[in-house]
Amino acid sequence: MTLSPEAQERLEDIVELQPTKNGTLQERWGMDSGSEVHSYLESELKEYYYRNEDSLICATPEAEAVAAGEETDSSERVVDVSDIEAATLDVLPGPDDEPQSVVATLHALQDAGEGVDVDDVRSVLHGLVDKGAVERVRKTVPTFRLVLDRENIVIR
C-alpha cells in the first residue's frame, strides 16, 4: 500500500509515540476530536496499527518498517506475540482452509495442553486480528484462520 506524504508522516508519529492515545495524536495532528483521529486511522492507516490490551495505539511491525523506509515483503509478516498467541497461531487453520470458531480454537488449545477459557481465546483471536496475523471470517458465528501460510509468519 502506497501512503500519501501526510499518511507517511502520521505513521511515523505513531511509531515515535507508541503506545499512544487518540488525544495525543489529535493534538499532534491538529484535529478537532479523538473521533476524527479514529476515523483517519481506520480509513488511511488501518493496516499499520492496532490497539494493545490497554486500548493504546501501537504500530505493527510492518508500520515500523515502512516508517524506517525499509522494504516490506507482503508474503511474510513479523508479529510480536505472547506464548498463548503463539500457541493459538499453531492451532488455527491456514489461509486456504475452512476457518474455525472460537470454541473450536478453545478445544484445539486445550488438546494442546493450554489452560485457557473461552474469554481468553476470544481475546487472543481478536488481538491477532488486530496484529494482522489472523483474519476474521464472518459466518453465523465469527470464525478465524491465518492470513498467510504458517511458515510466512515470523514470531518474535
Side-chain angles (χ1 to χ4, degrees), residues 60-87:
T60 63
E62 183 179 7
E64 292 177 7
V66 169
E70 299 171 7
E71 291 290 319
T72 60
D73 179 358
S74 63
S75 67
E76 183 175 277
R77 188 144 307 147
V78 177
V79 186
D80 291 318
V81 297
S82 65
D83 291 343
I84 189 61
E85 288 172 322

Side-chain angles (χ1 to χ4, degrees), residues 19-20 32 34 37 49 66 82 85 87 93 99 113-114 116-117 119 121-122 127 136 152-153 156:
T20 191
D32 295 329
V37 170
Y49 88 99
V66 169
S82 65
E85 288 172 322
E114 298 293 331
V116 292
D117 65 29
D119 291 330
V121 173
R122 187 176 294 109
R136 181 180 310 125
N152 292 332
I153 297 177
R156 297 195 299 187

Side-chain angles (χ1 to χ4, degrees), residues 22-44:
N22 284 14
T24 304
L25 295 175
Q26 174 187 338
E27 188 175 307
R28 172 75 66 104
W29 297 345
M31 292 184 167
D32 295 329
S33 68
S35 295
E36 189 177 353
V37 170
H38 177 75
S39 293
Y40 183 86
L41 290 171
E42 284 297 299
S43 66
E44 300 296 324

Side-chain angles (χ1 to χ4, degrees), residues 25-150:
L25 295 175
Q26 174 187 338
E27 188 175 307
R28 172 75 66 104
W29 297 345
M31 292 184 167
D32 295 329
S33 68
S35 295
E36 189 177 353
V37 170
H38 177 75
S39 293
Y40 183 86
L41 290 171
E42 284 297 299
S43 66
E44 300 296 324
L45 299 174
K46 185 176 182 118
E47 297 177 29
Y48 298 107
Y49 88 99
Y50 66 95
R51 292 191 183 266
N52 69 13
E53 58 278 352
D54 296 321
S55 293
L56 297 174
I57 299 164
C58 297
T60 63
E62 183 179 7
E64 292 177 7
V66 169
E70 299 171 7
E71 291 290 319
T72 60
D73 179 358
S74 63
S75 67
E76 183 175 277
R77 188 144 307 147
V78 177
V79 186
D80 291 318
V81 297
S82 65
D83 291 343
I84 189 61
E85 288 172 322
T88 302
L89 289 172
D90 285 342
V91 301
L92 282 174
D96 297 326
D97 299 327
E98 243 343 271
Q100 68 188 26
S101 68
V102 172
V103 173
T105 305
L106 169 68
H107 292 302
L109 286 166
Q110 289 173 335
D111 291 347
E114 298 293 331
V116 292
D117 65 29
V118 71
D119 291 330
D120 295 334
V121 173
R122 187 176 294 109
S123 176
V124 165
L125 286 168
H126 288 285
L128 289 169
V129 168
D130 291 344
K131 292 178 181 183
V134 170
E135 76 174 319
R136 181 180 310 125
V137 180
R138 301 276 183 195
K139 292 193 170 201
T140 304
V141 297
T143 57
F144 301 84
R145 66 178 166 217
L146 299 176
V147 172
L148 302 171
D149 290 326
R150 199 169 314 285

